[in-house]
Amino acid sequence: MHDLIRQAEALCQRSGMAFTAPRRRVLEILAASETPMKAYDLISKAGEGGQATKPPTVYRALDFLCQLGLVHRIEQDATFVACNHAGHSHPMALFVCNTCLKATEVAYDEVAHILEKAAEVQGFHLTRLVVEGRGQCQECALAA
Ligand SMILES: [Zn+2]
Ligand SMILES: [Zn+2]
């Protein structure tokens, strides 16, 4: 079993939330995927036995998994990616490779701190911060 699934089970148990079949299937599909996926692609295979399922089921599962930090949404592409080290509480930036489309998570605590301070100075109540980048991953750069 994938580590992430085990972590999801533990996390749900600790917080008294149900790790329902759709939630599990969506997480399993994302964990097995090399690249971030669109909700549409998840809908087409997150049903029982790899069949299509209802869009609201997938959207609700994605909301849940994102809230727990098991899955991240990449805003620029509207895609979803399984977290590569679930349970982290520190903010992460997501870099997406233009060539292989893989997403890389990068810690950016210091940048987040600077932006939070800047918001505070403006009296802006920040609830969410998104830092994303585009470029080429090391593997693709080496292969070029
Ligand atoms: Zn993560
Ligand atoms: Zn790449």
Side-chain angles (χ1 to χ4, degrees), residues 69 72 83-86 88 92 105:
H72 301 306
C83 179
N84 66 0
H85 57 299
H88 62 78
M92 301 298 292
E105 285 194 41

Side-chain angles (χ1 to χ4, degrees), residues 8-143:
E9 280 173 351
L11 205 59
C12 288
Q13 201 162 35
R14 262 207 309 278
S15 34
M17 289 177 290
F19 192 41
T20 59
R23 289 168 178 176
R24 172 187 289 268
R25 278 198 296 269
V26 167
L27 187 59
E28 277 172 351
I29 293 169
L30 284 174
S33 176
E34 283 266 290
T35 53
M37 292 177 72
K38 295 215 177 265
Y40 179 84
D41 295 323
L42 286 161
I43 289 163
S44 71
K45 58 169 105 170
E48 203 100 43
Q51 301 283 304
T53 186
K54 294 197 183 81
T57 307
V58 168
Y59 285 114
R60 274 199 302 267
L62 284 169
D63 271 354
F64 176 82
L65 295 168
C66 285
Q67 261 168 34
L68 286 187
L70 297 163
V71 167
H72 301 306
R73 183 184 148 92
I74 302 173
E75 303 290 340
Q76 60 187 344
D77 303 320
T79 53
F80 296 87
V81 63
C83 179
N84 66 0
H85 57 299
H88 62 78
S89 54
H90 54 98
M92 301 298 292
L94 285 158
F95 295 160
V96 180
C97 176
N98 284 328
T99 308
C100 69
L101 303 177
K102 279 184 195 161
T104 306
E105 285 194 41
V106 183
Y108 73 108
D109 307 64
E110 281 165 42
V111 177
H113 188 69
I114 290 166
L115 290 172
E116 279 159 12
K117 276 269 170 259
E120 204 178 297
V121 168
Q122 298 294 323
F124 186 86
H125 177 62
L126 194 67
T127 50
R128 186 154 180 264
L129 195 55
V130 176
V131 178
E132 295 177 355
R134 275 275 177 182
Q136 199 170 37
C137 75
Q138 192 177 40
E139 243 170 81
C140 290
L142 287 174

